[in-house]
Amino acid sequence: MRLLLVEDEPTLRASLRTALQDAGYVIDEADNGRDAHFLGDTENFDAVVLDLGLPVMDGLTVLKRWRSAGRTMPVLILTARDNWHEKVAGIDAGADDYLTKPFHMEELLARLRALIRRANGQASAVLQCGLLMLDTRTSRVTLDGQAVPLTSHEYKVLEYLLHRPHKVVSRTELTEHIYAQDFERDSNTIEVFVGRLRKKLPSTTIETVRGMGYRLVPPP
Ligand code: CA
């Protein structure tokens, strides 16, 4: 899952980056509203963490512009303490959730998981496809109750597919959500990860839809 992190305070941005990367997200960053607006307008993110007090363009304006341009990614805003006006304005501008500074990293991670689930029509923290289960809280994957050990890239591919059951996901889309913008993106590496997943799961679990991409099929 790919996140946009928008925060102008360097120390907080660095600690957020570390915590989010440790949780398995790939991160693009902005430290001002103009860059944030551009990234959110041109790239596809699974969620955005948006500080409201930003240089160049404030977070509320950024959010309003995204929404009026039809950008629907889930956005969690970070607001200053004791500023309830900001929360109301943020939610009215199209924010999906908010956190008041200072906050606990665990709470941010839990809220992000919930936002991403709901954006994909999933209510439960455990993603399931037949006997295949992925617990987004523990990053644990099981098949018929047996643990399936995965590398972080294999996990990211499977998690993305499990968030979109029955849908065909193209290699380009997978690549976009598994690598940050700065990384060299090569959709051939996705084939490698899918190949490895097919060795660890029943081979029919990830179906290739010719010319279109991949689809998850409940394992037998
Ligand atoms: Ca700020």
Side-chain angles (χ1 to χ4, degrees):
M1 296 288 151
R2 185 172 170 210
L3 299 185
L4 175 60
L5 169 61
V6 187
E7 170 60 62
D8 58 318
E9 210 279 295
T11 315
L12 178 57
R13 191 172 67 250
S15 67
L16 283 166
R17 178 203 307 134
T18 306
L20 293 168
Q21 285 175 338
D22 286 351
Y25 295 105
V26 292
I27 309 293
D28 289 84
E29 291 180 19
D31 63 3
N32 68 76
R34 185 186 52 220
D35 291 351
H37 175 256
F38 175 76
L39 280 169
D41 215 28
T42 53
E43 297 284 324
N44 291 314
F45 294 100
D46 295 294
V48 179
V49 177
L50 178 67
D51 181 34
L52 289 187
L54 291 171
V56 190
M57 188 193 293
D58 68 272
L60 212 52
T61 305
V62 172
L63 181 55
K64 282 180 186 160
R65 289 192 181 182
W66 283 337
R67 294 313 192 213
S68 66
R71 306 296 287 173
T72 58
M73 66 284 196
V75 175
L76 184 149
I77 53 172
L78 304 178
T79 67
R81 202 155 68 115
D82 300 331
N83 192 342
W84 64 267
H85 299 97
E86 215 175 52
K87 291 172 199 159
V88 174
I91 291 165
D92 281 343
D96 300 275
D97 202 356
Y98 68 86
L99 267 178
T100 304
K101 293 178 184 178
F103 50 83
H104 288 281
M105 214 56 90
E106 286 76 12
E107 183 174 4
L108 175 74
L109 294 173
R111 288 181 181 275
L112 279 174
R113 286 194 296 270
L115 280 184
I116 292 170
R117 286 200 314 261
R118 276 189 254 126
N120 292 293
Q122 308 260 3
S124 164
V126 178
L127 308 177
Q128 193 169 357
C129 179
L131 296 171
L132 180 64
M133 288 188 178
L134 182 151
D135 191 328
T136 58
R137 297 162 300 188
T138 58
S139 305
R140 193 176 138 86
V141 175
T142 58
L143 178 68
D144 200 10
Q146 299 292 309
V148 182
L150 298 179
T151 65
S152 76
H153 277 98
E154 291 161 6
Y155 179 88
K156 286 171 189 173
V157 170
L158 185 64
E159 183 190 29
Y160 194 81
L161 291 172
L162 272 166
H163 268 106
R164 286 154 191 80
H166 317 301
K167 287 188 189 139
V168 179
V169 177
S170 73
R171 270 191 294 175
T172 309
E173 182 179 346
L174 271 170
T175 309
E176 272 180 2
H177 288 265
I178 280 154
Y179 294 103
Q181 196 189 29
D182 295 343
F183 279 75
E184 201 180 329
R185 291 178 179 166
D186 177 1
S187 65
N188 290 323
T189 60
I190 294 294
E191 272 184 277
V192 174
F193 298 136
V194 168
R196 290 190 197 149
L197 278 168
R198 281 178 173 149
K199 290 195 177 118
K200 294 184 176 182
L201 302 169
S203 60
T204 55
T205 309
I206 303 176
E207 181 187 40
T208 300
V209 183
R210 196 176 285 274
M212 294 181 72
Y214 301 108
R215 179 167 49 203
L216 218 52
V217 178

